[in-house]
Amino acid sequence: MRCRQLVEPFPTTTLDEDALDAARRMAAERRPGLVVVDESGKVLRVLPGSQVLRFVVPRYVQDDPALARVIDEQAADRVSAKLRGRKVRDVLPPDGKDRIPVLRDDDTVLEVAAAMAAAHSPLVVVTDAAKQLVGVITVSKVLTVL
Amino acid sequence: MRCRQLVEPFPTTTLDEDALDAARRMAAERRPGLVVVDESGKVLRVLPGSQVLRFVVPRYVQDDPALARVIDEQAADRVSAKLRGRKVRDVLPPDGKDRIPVLRDDDTVLEVAAAMAAAHSPLVVVTDAAKQLVGVITVSKVLTVL
């Protein structure tokens, strides 16, 4: 069985999309991330939702989450302001730090399983030979098949 | 806003549940994992779906996923056999290797965001004061609120 049989659709964004718009779409579509594609639809990266949070949550709060409790609600409101005027490219993690594997549509289910296992990832992105997005595969789908 | 307002239900398992049954339920409920609770319902750990795959996919395939391509379908079929007779406790990662943060139901949204950011996790588990499962919070829910 090839992995193209297991894919489901997933929302995309581009490097130059407004970061706040991208975060809003991720929220509205209830997805843990967005696939980043270029103008031709070629898959470049994945923008994980947790990375958006890394960008908006102050560094000292990430280092000591207990501090989050003493920050008032107004400060939390200002968090989203950090995304204003930013593009998706500003929010992406440094190159090579993506944790979501990208596979080909003719890869096997076992290749998908191995990639998820190695990356501790609940998701892989699947592209065709031209690196166009085919969709994503979830770990529950792989477990269903195996 | 406290995080109890953001939770959604999530399926549970126990240390002594049959691992194949647990994997099947994860697949059937289309979830990326299960929350592990003890007999009293106290939250102990999280069993990520990718960890189930780490257990069933041969080590040499994880080290070199390209090898997965040359393994025949029959071998892939035998993968699920690895779970037979195993319990959830056998499949769990070594202690302390969980990547899913566990928070309290009176923690704030910013605490949840900080924990997700620090752990690169699309999910946190929420318990009450008695460590009983209240539910999980997804990164898209946090983005909705922030």
Side-chain angles (χ1 to χ4, degrees), chain A residues 1 27 54 68-69 73 80 107 111 117 120 140 144 146, chain B residues 1 27 30 54 68-69 73 80 107 111 117 120 144 146:
Chain A
M1 182 179 291
R54 288 179 82 82
R69 180 172 285 261
E73 295 269 327
S80 68
D107 286 341
E111 281 174 283
H120 294 273
S140 61
T144 303
L146 288 184
Chain B
M1 182 179 292
R30 295 159 182 260
R54 288 178 81 81
R69 182 173 282 262
E73 295 268 327
S80 68
D107 287 342
E111 281 174 285
H120 294 272
T144 303
L146 288 183

mmCIF file with all atom_site columns, all heavy atoms in Angstrom, chain A residues 1 27 54 68-69 73 80 107 111 117 120 140 144 146, chain B residues 1 27 30 54 68-69 73 80 107 111 117 120 144 146:
data_model
loop_
_atom_site.group_PDB
_atom_site.id
_atom_site.type_symbol
_atom_site.label_atom_id
_atom_site.label_alt_id
_atom_site.label_comp_id
_atom_site.label_asym_id
_atom_site.label_entity_id
_atom_site.label_seq_id
_atom_site.pdbx_PDB_ins_code
_atom_site.Cartn_x
_atom_site.Cartn_y
_atom_site.Cartn_z
_atom_site.occupancy
_atom_site.B_iso_or_equiv
_atom_site.pdbx_formal_charge
_atom_site.auth_seq_id
_atom_site.auth_comp_id
_atom_site.auth_asym_id
_atom_site.auth_atom_id
_atom_site.pdbx_PDB_model_num
ATOM 1   N N   . MET A 1 1   ? 0.836   -1.204 0.000  1.00 0.00 ? 1   MET A N   1
ATOM 2   C CA  . MET A 1 1   ? 0.000   0.000  0.000  1.00 0.00 ? 1   MET A CA  1
ATOM 3   C C   . MET A 1 1   ? 0.874   1.260  0.000  1.00 0.00 ? 1   MET A C   1
ATOM 4   O O   . MET A 1 1   ? 1.827   1.359  0.763  1.00 0.00 ? 1   MET A O   1
ATOM 5   C CB  . MET A 1 1   ? -0.900  0.005  1.238  1.00 0.00 ? 1   MET A CB  1
ATOM 6   C CG  . MET A 1 1   ? -1.827  1.214  1.267  1.00 0.00 ? 1   MET A CG  1
ATOM 7   S SD  . MET A 1 1   ? -2.911  1.210  2.696  1.00 0.00 ? 1   MET A SD  1
ATOM 8   C CE  . MET A 1 1   ? -3.975  -0.172 2.324  1.00 0.00 ? 1   MET A CE  1
ATOM 9   N N   . ALA A 1 27  ? -6.394  28.244 13.626 1.00 0.00 ? 27  ALA A N   1
ATOM 10  C CA  . ALA A 1 27  ? -7.384  28.156 14.709 1.00 0.00 ? 27  ALA A CA  1
ATOM 11  C C   . ALA A 1 27  ? -8.757  27.801 14.152 1.00 0.00 ? 27  ALA A C   1
ATOM 12  O O   . ALA A 1 27  ? -9.431  26.899 14.659 1.00 0.00 ? 27  ALA A O   1
ATOM 13  C CB  . ALA A 1 27  ? -7.427  29.478 15.471 1.00 0.00 ? 27  ALA A CB  1
ATOM 14  N N   . ARG A 1 54  ? 5.700   29.771 20.311 1.00 0.00 ? 54  ARG A N   1
ATOM 15  C CA  . ARG A 1 54  ? 7.083   30.127 20.681 1.00 0.00 ? 54  ARG A CA  1
ATOM 16  C C   . ARG A 1 54  ? 7.389   31.562 20.288 1.00 0.00 ? 54  ARG A C   1
ATOM 17  O O   . ARG A 1 54  ? 8.161   32.251 20.966 1.00 0.00 ? 54  ARG A O   1
ATOM 18  C CB  . ARG A 1 54  ? 8.102   29.209 19.983 1.00 0.00 ? 54  ARG A CB  1
ATOM 19  C CG  . ARG A 1 54  ? 8.139   27.809 20.531 1.00 0.00 ? 54  ARG A CG  1
ATOM 20  C CD  . ARG A 1 54  ? 9.142   26.936 19.774 1.00 0.00 ? 54  ARG A CD  1
ATOM 21  N NE  . ARG A 1 54  ? 10.508  27.133 20.236 1.00 0.00 ? 54  ARG A NE  1
ATOM 22  C CZ  . ARG A 1 54  ? 11.032  26.560 21.305 1.00 0.00 ? 54  ARG A CZ  1
ATOM 23  N NH1 . ARG A 1 54  ? 10.303  25.751 22.041 1.00 0.00 ? 54  ARG A NH1 1
ATOM 24  N NH2 . ARG A 1 54  ? 12.269  26.780 21.652 1.00 0.00 ? 54  ARG A NH2 1
ATOM 25  N N   . ALA A 1 68  ? 3.964   32.584 33.859 1.00 0.00 ? 68  ALA A N   1
ATOM 26  C CA  . ALA A 1 68  ? 2.767   32.905 33.078 1.00 0.00 ? 68  ALA A CA  1
ATOM 27  C C   . ALA A 1 68  ? 1.599   33.229 34.006 1.00 0.00 ? 68  ALA A C   1
ATOM 28  O O   . ALA A 1 68  ? 0.736   34.043 33.692 1.00 0.00 ? 68  ALA A O   1
ATOM 29  C CB  . ALA A 1 68  ? 2.400   31.735 32.160 1.00 0.00 ? 68  ALA A CB  1
ATOM 30  N N   . ARG A 1 69  ? 1.596   32.592 35.176 1.00 0.00 ? 69  ARG A N   1
ATOM 31  C CA  . ARG A 1 69  ? 0.478   32.750 36.107 1.00 0.00 ? 69  ARG A CA  1
ATOM 32  C C   . ARG A 1 69  ? 0.411   34.169 36.679 1.00 0.00 ? 69  ARG A C   1
ATOM 33  O O   . ARG A 1 69  ? -0.674  34.657 36.995 1.00 0.00 ? 69  ARG A O   1
ATOM 34  C CB  . ARG A 1 69  ? 0.624   31.726 37.242 1.00 0.00 ? 69  ARG A CB  1
ATOM 35  C CG  . ARG A 1 69  ? -0.448  31.772 38.266 1.00 0.00 ? 69  ARG A CG  1
ATOM 36  C CD  . ARG A 1 69  ? -0.313  30.599 39.222 1.00 0.00 ? 69  ARG A CD  1
ATOM 37  N NE  . ARG A 1 69  ? -0.752  29.365 38.607 1.00 0.00 ? 69  ARG A NE  1
ATOM 38  C CZ  . ARG A 1 69  ? -1.963  28.835 38.802 1.00 0.00 ? 69  ARG A CZ  1
ATOM 39  N NH1 . ARG A 1 69  ? -2.830  29.416 39.597 1.00 0.00 ? 69  ARG A NH1 1
ATOM 40  N NH2 . ARG A 1 69  ? -2.311  27.718 38.220 1.00 0.00 ? 69  ARG A NH2 1
ATOM 41  N N   . GLU A 1 73  ? -4.085  39.372 32.483 1.00 0.00 ? 73  GLU A N   1
ATOM 42  C CA  . GLU A 1 73  ? -4.794  39.040 31.246 1.00 0.00 ? 73  GLU A CA  1
ATOM 43  C C   . GLU A 1 73  ? -4.489  40.049 30.140 1.00 0.00 ? 73  GLU A C   1
ATOM 44  O O   . GLU A 1 73  ? -4.439  39.707 28.979 1.00 0.00 ? 73  GLU A O   1
ATOM 45  C CB  . GLU A 1 73  ? -6.314  38.999 31.496 1.00 0.00 ? 73  GLU A CB  1
ATOM 46  C CG  . GLU A 1 73  ? -6.759  37.896 32.442 1.00 0.00 ? 73  GLU A CG  1
ATOM 47  C CD  . GLU A 1 73  ? -7.109  36.588 31.697 1.00 0.00 ? 73  GLU A CD  1
ATOM 48  O OE1 . GLU A 1 73  ? -7.605  36.677 30.568 1.00 0.00 ? 73  GLU A OE1 1
ATOM 49  O OE2 . GLU A 1 73  ? -6.866  35.510 32.264 1.00 0.00 ? 73  GLU A OE2 1
ATOM 50  N N   . SER A 1 80  ? -1.067  38.459 21.042 1.00 0.00 ? 80  SER A N   1
ATOM 51  C CA  . SER A 1 80  ? -1.413  38.360 19.621 1.00 0.00 ? 80  SER A CA  1
ATOM 52  C C   . SER A 1 80  ? -0.877  39.558 18.841 1.00 0.00 ? 80  SER A C   1
ATOM 53  O O   . SER A 1 80  ? -0.619  39.459 17.640 1.00 0.00 ? 80  SER A O   1
ATOM 54  C CB  . SER A 1 80  ? -2.918  38.234 19.431 1.00 0.00 ? 80  SER A CB  1
ATOM 55  O OG  . SER A 1 80  ? -3.538  39.446 19.810 1.00 0.00 ? 80  SER A OG  1
ATOM 56  N N   . ASP A 1 107 ? 5.715   6.456  -1.452 1.00 0.00 ? 107 ASP A N   1
ATOM 57  C CA  . ASP A 1 107 ? 6.346   5.772  -0.326 1.00 0.00 ? 107 ASP A CA  1
ATOM 58  C C   . ASP A 1 107 ? 5.344   4.785  0.287  1.00 0.00 ? 107 ASP A C   1
ATOM 59  O O   . ASP A 1 107 ? 4.128   4.939  0.143  1.00 0.00 ? 107 ASP A O   1
ATOM 60  C CB  . ASP A 1 107 ? 6.801   6.791  0.738  1.00 0.00 ? 107 ASP A CB  1
ATOM 61  C CG  . ASP A 1 107 ? 8.043   7.574  0.302  1.00 0.00 ? 107 ASP A CG  1
ATOM 62  O OD1 . ASP A 1 107 ? 8.746   7.117  -0.613 1.00 0.00 ? 107 ASP A OD1 1
ATOM 63  O OD2 . ASP A 1 107 ? 8.298   8.638  0.889  1.00 0.00 ? 107 ASP A OD2 1
ATOM 64  N N   . GLU A 1 111 ? 7.264   3.012  5.426  1.00 0.00 ? 111 GLU A N   1
ATOM 65  C CA  . GLU A 1 111 ? 8.154   4.182  5.393  1.00 0.00 ? 111 GLU A CA  1
ATOM 66  C C   . GLU A 1 111 ? 7.550   5.339  6.187  1.00 0.00 ? 111 GLU A C   1
ATOM 67  O O   . GLU A 1 111 ? 8.253   6.059  6.903  1.00 0.00 ? 111 GLU A O   1
ATOM 68  C CB  . GLU A 1 111 ? 8.405   4.622  3.943  1.00 0.00 ? 111 GLU A CB  1
ATOM 69  C CG  . GLU A 1 111 ? 9.435   3.761  3.222  1.00 0.00 ? 111 GLU A CG  1
ATOM 70  C CD  . GLU A 1 111 ? 9.568   4.133  1.747  1.00 0.00 ? 111 GLU A CD  1
ATOM 71  O OE1 . GLU A 1 111 ? 8.679   3.745  0.968  1.00 0.00 ? 111 GLU A OE1 1
ATOM 72  O OE2 . GLU A 1 111 ? 10.548  4.807  1.397  1.00 0.00 ? 111 GLU A OE2 1
ATOM 73  N N   . ALA A 1 117 ? 7.914   7.402  13.612 1.00 0.00 ? 117 ALA A N   1
ATOM 74  C CA  . ALA A 1 117 ? 8.569   6.855  14.796 1.00 0.00 ? 117 ALA A CA  1
ATOM 75  C C   . ALA A 1 117 ? 9.874   7.596  15.067 1.00 0.00 ? 117 ALA A C   1
ATOM 76  O O   . ALA A 1 117 ? 10.149  8.004  16.196 1.00 0.00 ? 117 ALA A O   1
ATOM 77  C CB  . ALA A 1 117 ? 8.819   5.359  14.607 1.00 0.00 ? 117 ALA A CB  1
ATOM 78  N N   . HIS A 1 120 ? 9.148   11.207 16.179 1.00 0.00 ? 120 HIS A N   1
ATOM 79  C CA  . HIS A 1 120 ? 8.142   11.380 17.249 1.00 0.00 ? 120 HIS A CA  1
ATOM 80  C C   . HIS A 1 120 ? 7.004   12.268 16.760 1.00 0.00 ? 120 HIS A C   1
ATOM 81  O O   . HIS A 1 120 ? 6.516   13.115 17.501 1.00 0.00 ? 120 HIS A O   1
ATOM 82  C CB  . HIS A 1 120 ? 8.744   12.031 18.498 1.00 0.00 ? 120 HIS A CB  1
ATOM 83  C CG  . HIS A 1 120 ? 9.759   11.211 19.207 1.00 0.00 ? 120 HIS A CG  1
ATOM 84  N ND1 . HIS A 1 120 ? 9.446   10.281 20.166 1.00 0.00 ? 120 HIS A ND1 1
ATOM 85  C CD2 . HIS A 1 120 ? 11.105  11.171 19.077 1.00 0.00 ? 120 HIS A CD2 1
ATOM 86  C CE1 . HIS A 1 120 ? 10.547  9.716  20.625 1.00 0.00 ? 120 HIS A CE1 1
ATOM 87  N NE2 . HIS A 1 120 ? 11.574  10.235 19.976 1.00 0.00 ? 120 HIS A NE2 1
ATOM 88  N N   . SER A 1 140 ? -2.960  8.033  13.536 1.00 0.00 ? 140 SER A N   1
ATOM 89  C CA  . SER A 1 140 ? -4.094  7.118  13.743 1.00 0.00 ? 140 SER A CA  1
ATOM 90  C C   . SER A 1 140 ? -4.433  6.389  12.441 1.00 0.00 ? 140 SER A C   1
ATOM 91  O O   . SER A 1 140 ? -4.831  5.222  12.464 1.00 0.00 ? 140 SER A O   1
ATOM 92  C CB  . SER A 1 140 ? -5.307  7.853  14.303 1.00 0.00 ? 140 SER A CB  1
ATOM 93  O OG  . SER A 1 140 ? -5.762  8.862  13.443 1.00 0.00 ? 140 SER A OG  1
ATOM 94  N N   . THR A 1 144 ? -4.381  2.371  11.857 1.00 0.00 ? 144 THR A N   1
ATOM 95  C CA  . THR A 1 144 ? -5.531  1.677  11.269 1.00 0.00 ? 144 THR A CA  1
ATOM 96  C C   . THR A 1 144 ? -5.070  0.666  10.235 1.00 0.00 ? 144 THR A C   1
ATOM 97  O O   . THR A 1 144 ? -5.541  -0.474 10.194 1.00 0.00 ? 144 THR A O   1
ATOM 98  C CB  . THR A 1 144 ? -6.474  2.703  10.588 1.00 0.00 ? 144 THR A CB  1
ATOM 99  O OG1 . THR A 1 144 ? -6.870  3.673  11.543 1.00 0.00 ? 144 THR A OG1 1
ATOM 100 C CG2 . THR A 1 144 ? -7.704  2.019  10.004 1.00 0.00 ? 144 THR A CG2 1
ATOM 101 N N   . LEU A 1 146 ? -1.873  -0.565 9.757  1.00 0.00 ? 146 LEU A N   1
ATOM 102 C CA  . LEU A 1 146 ? -0.938  -1.585 10.269 1.00 0.00 ? 146 LEU A CA  1
ATOM 103 C C   . LEU A 1 146 ? -1.667  -2.576 11.176 1.00 0.00 ? 146 LEU A C   1
ATOM 104 O O   . LEU A 1 146 ? -1.267  -3.698 11.323 1.00 0.00 ? 146 LEU A O   1
ATOM 105 C CB  . LEU A 1 146 ? 0.208   -0.923 11.048 1.00 0.00 ? 146 LEU A CB  1
ATOM 106 C CG  . LEU A 1 146 ? 1.246   -0.158 10.242 1.00 0.00 ? 146 LEU A CG  1
ATOM 107 C CD1 . LEU A 1 146 ? 2.349   0.355  11.155 1.00 0.00 ? 146 LEU A CD1 1
ATOM 108 C CD2 . LEU A 1 146 ? 1.866   -1.045 9.164  1.00 0.00 ? 146 LEU A CD2 1
ATOM 109 N N   . MET B 1 1   ? -8.665  33.876 31.924 1.00 0.00 ? 1   MET B N   1
ATOM 110 C CA  . MET B 1 1   ? -9.336  32.639 31.510 1.00 0.00 ? 1   MET B CA  1
ATOM 111 C C   . MET B 1 1   ? -8.527  31.417 31.952 1.00 0.00 ? 1   MET B C   1
ATOM 112 O O   . MET B 1 1   ? -7.324  31.368 31.743 1.00 0.00 ? 1   MET B O   1
ATOM 113 C CB  . MET B 1 1   ? -9.503  32.622 29.989 1.00 0.00 ? 1   MET B CB  1
ATOM 114 C CG  . MET B 1 1   ? -10.247 31.383 29.502 1.00 0.00 ? 1   MET B CG  1
ATOM 115 S SD  . MET B 1 1   ? -10.483 31.365 27.713 1.00 0.00 ? 1   MET B SD  1
ATOM 116 C CE  . MET B 1 1   ? -11.641 32.714 27.518 1.00 0.00 ? 1   MET B CE  1
ATOM 117 N N   . ALA B 1 27  ? -6.677  4.290  16.846 1.00 0.00 ? 27  ALA B N   1
ATOM 118 C CA  . ALA B 1 27  ? -6.988  4.350  15.414 1.00 0.00 ? 27  ALA B CA  1
ATOM 119 C C   . ALA B 1 27  ? -8.479  4.634  15.201 1.00 0.00 ? 27  ALA B C   1
ATOM 120 O O   . ALA B 1 27  ? -8.840  5.509  14.414 1.00 0.00 ? 27  ALA B O   1
ATOM 121 C CB  . ALA B 1 27  ? -6.589  3.036  14.742 1.00 0.00 ? 27  ALA B CB  1
ATOM 122 N N   . ARG B 1 30  ? -9.435  8.068  15.986 1.00 0.00 ? 30  ARG B N   1
ATOM 123 C CA  . ARG B 1 30  ? -8.664  9.035  15.191 1.00 0.00 ? 30  ARG B CA  1
ATOM 124 C C   . ARG B 1 30  ? -7.935  10.034 16.073 1.00 0.00 ? 30  ARG B C   1
ATOM 125 O O   . ARG B 1 30  ? -7.969  11.246 15.849 1.00 0.00 ? 30  ARG B O   1
ATOM 126 C CB  . ARG B 1 30  ? -9.594  9.801  14.234 1.00 0.00 ? 30  ARG B CB  1
ATOM 127 C CG  . ARG B 1 30  ? -10.216 8.909  13.197 1.00 0.00 ? 30  ARG B CG  1
ATOM 128 C CD  . ARG B 1 30  ? -11.467 9.523  12.624 1.00 0.00 ? 30  ARG B CD  1
ATOM 129 N NE  . ARG B 1 30  ? -12.086 8.622  11.648 1.00 0.00 ? 30  ARG B NE  1
ATOM 130 C CZ  . ARG B 1 30  ? -11.966 8.744  10.331 1.00 0.00 ? 30  ARG B CZ  1
ATOM 131 N NH1 . ARG B 1 30  ? -11.283 9.738  9.823  1.00 0.00 ? 30  ARG B NH1 1
ATOM 132 N NH2 . ARG B 1 30  ? -12.534 7.891  9.534  1.00 0.00 ? 30  ARG B NH2 1
ATOM 133 N N   . ARG B 1 54  ? 7.175   3.400  17.193 1.00 0.00 ? 54  ARG B N   1
ATOM 134 C CA  . ARG B 1 54  ? 8.573   3.118  17.576 1.00 0.00 ? 54  ARG B CA  1
ATOM 135 C C   . ARG B 1 54  ? 8.707   1.686  18.075 1.00 0.00 ? 54  ARG B C   1
ATOM 136 O O   . ARG B 1 54  ? 9.737   1.045  17.891 1.00 0.00 ? 54  ARG B O   1
ATOM 137 C CB  . ARG B 1 54  ? 9.063   4.064  18.677 1.00 0.00 ? 54  ARG B CB  1
ATOM 138 C CG  . ARG B 1 54  ? 9.310   5.481  18.209 1.00 0.00 ? 54  ARG B CG  1
ATOM 139 C CD  . ARG B 1 54  ? 9.751   6.376  19.352 1.00 0.00 ? 54  ARG B CD  1
ATOM 140 N NE  . ARG B 1 54  ? 11.170  6.249  19.658 1.00 0.00 ? 54  ARG B NE  1
ATOM 141 C CZ  . ARG B 1 54  ? 12.130  6.862  18.987 1.00 0.00 ? 54  ARG B CZ  1
ATOM 142 N NH1 . ARG B 1 54  ? 11.835  7.652  17.986 1.00 0.00 ? 54  ARG B NH1 1
ATOM 143 N NH2 . ARG B 1 54  ? 13.384  6.696  19.316 1.00 0.00 ? 54  ARG B NH2 1
ATOM 144 N N   . ALA B 1 68  ? 12.637  0.670  4.648  1.00 0.00 ? 68  ALA B N   1
ATOM 145 C CA  . ALA B 1 68  ? 11.228  0.283  4.719  1.00 0.00 ? 68  ALA B CA  1
ATOM 146 C C   . ALA B 1 68  ? 10.710  -0.075 3.333  1.00 0.00 ? 68  ALA B C   1
ATOM 147 O O   . ALA B 1 68  ? 9.849   -0.940 3.170  1.00 0.00 ? 68  ALA B O   1
ATOM 148 C CB  . ALA B 1 68  ? 10.398  1.413  5.321  1.00 0.00 ? 68  ALA B CB  1
ATOM 149 N N   . ARG B 1 69  ? 11.258  0.588  2.317  1.00 0.00 ? 69  ARG B N   1
ATOM 150 C CA  . ARG B 1 69  ? 10.779  0.392  0.950  1.00 0.00 ? 69  ARG B CA  1
ATOM 151 C C   . ARG B 1 69  ? 11.072  -1.012 0.439  1.00 0.00 ? 69  ARG B C   1
ATOM 152 O O   . ARG B 1 69  ? 10.318  -1.549 -0.378 1.00 0.00 ? 69  ARG B O   1
ATOM 153 C CB  . ARG B 1 69  ? 11.427  1.441  0.040  1.00 0.00 ? 69  ARG B CB  1
ATOM 154 C CG  . ARG B 1 69  ? 10.994  1.388  -1.395 1.00 0.00 ? 69  ARG B CG  1
ATOM 155 C CD  . ARG B 1 69  ? 11.571  2.581  -2.137 1.00 0.00 ? 69  ARG B CD  1
ATOM 156 N NE  . ARG B 1 69  ? 10.806  3.770  -1.842 1.00 0.00 ? 69  ARG B NE  1
ATOM 157 C CZ  . ARG B 1 69  ? 9.838   4.249  -2.639 1.00 0.00 ? 69  ARG B CZ  1
ATOM 158 N NH1 . ARG B 1 69  ? 9.542   3.633  -3.751 1.00 0.00 ? 69  ARG B NH1 1
ATOM 159 N NH2 . ARG B 1 69  ? 9.196   5.337  -2.318 1.00 0.00 ? 69  ARG B NH2 1
ATOM 160 N N   . GLU B 1 73  ? 5.325   -6.491 1.864  1.00 0.00 ? 73  GLU B N   1
ATOM 161 C CA  . GLU B 1 73  ? 4.076   -6.211 2.575  1.00 0.00 ? 73  GLU B CA  1
ATOM 162 C C   . GLU B 1 73  ? 3.828   -7.228 3.694  1.00 0.00 ? 73  GLU B C   1
ATOM 163 O O   . GLU B 1 73  ? 3.255   -6.905 4.720  1.00 0.00 ? 73  GLU B O   1
ATOM 164 C CB  . GLU B 1 73  ? 2.894   -6.237 1.595  1.00 0.00 ? 73  GLU B CB  1
ATOM 165 C CG  . GLU B 1 73  ? 2.932   -5.133 0.544  1.00 0.00 ? 73  GLU B CG  1
ATOM 166 C CD  . GLU B 1 73  ? 2.180   -3.872 0.985  1.00 0.00 ? 73  GLU B CD  1
ATOM 167 O OE1 . GLU B 1 73  ? 1.190   -4.001 1.708  1.00 0.00 ? 73  GLU B OE1 1
ATOM 168 O OE2 . GLU B 1 73  ? 2.617   -2.766 0.609  1.00 0.00 ? 73  GLU B OE2 1
ATOM 169 N N   . SER B 1 80  ? 2.120   -5.580 13.238 1.00 0.00 ? 80  SER B N   1
ATOM 170 C CA  . SER B 1 80  ? 1.099   -5.510 14.289 1.00 0.00 ? 80  SER B CA  1
ATOM 171 C C   . SER B 1 80  ? 1.228   -6.687 15.252 1.00 0.00 ? 80  SER B C   1
ATOM 172 O O   . SER B 1 80  ? 0.838   -6.603 16.418 1.00 0.00 ? 80  SER B O   1
ATOM 173 C CB  . SER B 1 80  ? -0.298  -5.457 13.685 1.00 0.00 ? 80  SER B CB  1
ATOM 174 O OG  . SER B 1 80  ? -0.592  -6.690 13.076 1.00 0.00 ? 80  SER B OG  1
ATOM 175 N N   . ASP B 1 107 ? -4.827  26.416 35.708 1.00 0.00 ? 107 ASP B N   1
ATOM 176 C CA  . ASP B 1 107 ? -3.743  27.150 35.042 1.00 0.00 ? 107 ASP B CA  1
ATOM 177 C C   . ASP B 1 107 ? -4.345  28.092 33.998 1.00 0.00 ? 107 ASP B C   1
ATOM 178 O O   . ASP B 1 107 ? -5.458  27.886 33.520 1.00 0.00 ? 107 ASP B O   1
ATOM 179 C CB  . ASP B 1 107 ? -2.763  26.172 34.369 1.00 0.00 ? 107 ASP B CB  1
ATOM 180 C CG  . ASP B 1 107 ? -1.883  25.445 35.378 1.00 0.00 ? 107 ASP B CG  1
ATOM 181 O OD1 . ASP B 1 107 ? -1.779  25.935 36.524 1.00 0.00 ? 107 ASP B OD1 1
ATOM 182 O OD2 . ASP B 1 107 ? -1.326  24.400 35.031 1.00 0.00 ? 107 ASP B OD2 1
ATOM 183 N N   . GLU B 1 111 ? -0.179  30.014 30.518 1.00 0.00 ? 111 GLU B N   1
ATOM 184 C CA  . GLU B 1 111 ? 0.620   28.879 31.006 1.00 0.00 ? 111 GLU B CA  1
ATOM 185 C C   . GLU B 1 111 ? 0.557   27.711 30.025 1.00 0.00 ? 111 GLU B C   1
ATOM 186 O O   . GLU B 1 111 ? 1.560   27.034 29.775 1.00 0.00 ? 111 GLU B O   1
ATOM 187 C CB  . GLU B 1 111 ? 0.130   28.435 32.393 1.00 0.00 ? 111 GLU B CB  1
ATOM 188 C CG  . GLU B 1 111 ? 0.626   29.318 33.520 1.00 0.00 ? 111 GLU B CG  1
ATOM 189 C CD  . GLU B 1 111 ? 0.004   28.950 34.858 1.00 0.00 ? 111 GLU B CD  1
ATOM 190 O OE1 . GLU B 1 111 ? -1.190  29.286 35.064 1.00 0.00 ? 111 GLU B OE1 1
ATOM 191 O OE2 . GLU B 1 111 ? 0.678   28.338 35.682 1.00 0.00 ? 111 GLU B OE2 1
ATOM 192 N N   . ALA B 1 117 ? 4.704   25.756 23.828 1.00 0.00 ? 117 ALA B N   1
ATOM 193 C CA  . ALA B 1 117 ? 5.846   26.346 23.128 1.00 0.00 ? 117 ALA B CA  1
ATOM 194 C C   . ALA B 1 117 ? 7.138   25.665 23.563 1.00 0.00 ? 117 ALA B C   1
ATOM 195 O O   . ALA B 1 117 ? 7.962   25.276 22.735 1.00 0.00 ? 117 ALA B O   1
ATOM 196 C CB  . ALA B 1 117 ? 5.915   27.850 23.393 1.00 0.00 ? 117 ALA B CB  1
ATOM 197 N N   . HIS B 1 120 ? 7.250   22.043 22.271 1.00 0.00 ? 120 HIS B N   1
ATOM 198 C CA  . HIS B 1 120 ? 6.924   21.853 20.849 1.00 0.00 ? 120 HIS B CA  1
ATOM 199 C C   . HIS B 1 120 ? 5.738   20.914 20.710 1.00 0.00 ? 120 HIS B C   1
ATOM 200 O O   . HIS B 1 120 ? 5.725   20.044 19.836 1.00 0.00 ? 120 HIS B O   1
ATOM 201 C CB  . HIS B 1 120 ? 8.105   21.238 20.068 1.00 0.00 ? 120 HIS B CB  1
ATOM 202 C CG  . HIS B 1 120 ? 9.309   22.114 19.968 1.00 0.00 ? 120 HIS B CG  1
ATOM 203 N ND1 . HIS B 1 120 ? 9.477   23.039 18.961 1.00 0.00 ? 120 HIS B ND1 1
ATOM 204 C CD2 . HIS B 1 120 ? 10.393  22.212 20.754 1.00 0.00 ? 120 HIS B CD2 1
ATOM 205 C CE1 . HIS B 1 120 ? 10.629  23.644 19.127 1.00 0.00 ? 120 HIS B CE1 1
ATOM 206 N NE2 . HIS B 1 120 ? 11.211  23.163 20.217 1.00 0.00 ? 120 HIS B NE2 1
ATOM 207 N N   . THR B 1 144 ? -7.008  30.189 19.087 1.00 0.00 ? 144 THR B N   1
ATOM 208 C CA  . THR B 1 144 ? -8.328  30.822 19.004 1.00 0.00 ? 144 THR B CA  1
ATOM 209 C C   . THR B 1 144 ? -8.503  31.845 20.119 1.00 0.00 ? 144 THR B C   1
ATOM 210 O O   . THR B 1 144 ? -8.979  32.965 19.891 1.00 0.00 ? 144 THR B O   1
ATOM 211 C CB  . THR B 1 144 ? -9.436  29.751 19.122 1.00 0.00 ? 144 THR B CB  1
ATOM 212 O OG1 . THR B 1 144 ? -9.247  28.775 18.105 1.00 0.00 ? 144 THR B OG1 1
ATOM 213 C CG2 . THR B 1 144 ? -10.817 30.369 18.989 1.00 0.00 ? 144 THR B CG2 1
ATOM 214 N N   . LEU B 1 146 ? -6.043  33.212 22.106 1.00 0.00 ? 146 LEU B N   1
ATOM 215 C CA  . LEU B 1 146 ? -5.027  34.283 22.128 1.00 0.00 ? 146 LEU B CA  1
ATOM 216 C C   . LEU B 1 146 ? -5.230  35.249 20.963 1.00 0.00 ? 146 LEU B C   1
ATOM 217 O O   . LEU B 1 146 ? -4.856  36.395 21.013 1.00 0.00 ? 146 LEU B O   1
ATOM 218 C CB  . LEU B 1 146 ? -3.615  33.689 22.055 1.00 0.00 ? 146 LEU B CB  1
ATOM 219 C CG  . LEU B 1 146 ? -3.100  32.973 23.292 1.00 0.00 ? 146 LEU B CG  1
ATOM 220 C CD1 . LEU B 1 146 ? -1.673  32.510 23.062 1.00 0.00 ? 146 LEU B CD1 1
ATOM 221 C CD2 . LEU B 1 146 ? -3.136  33.864 24.520 1.00 0.00 ? 146 LEU B CD2 1
#
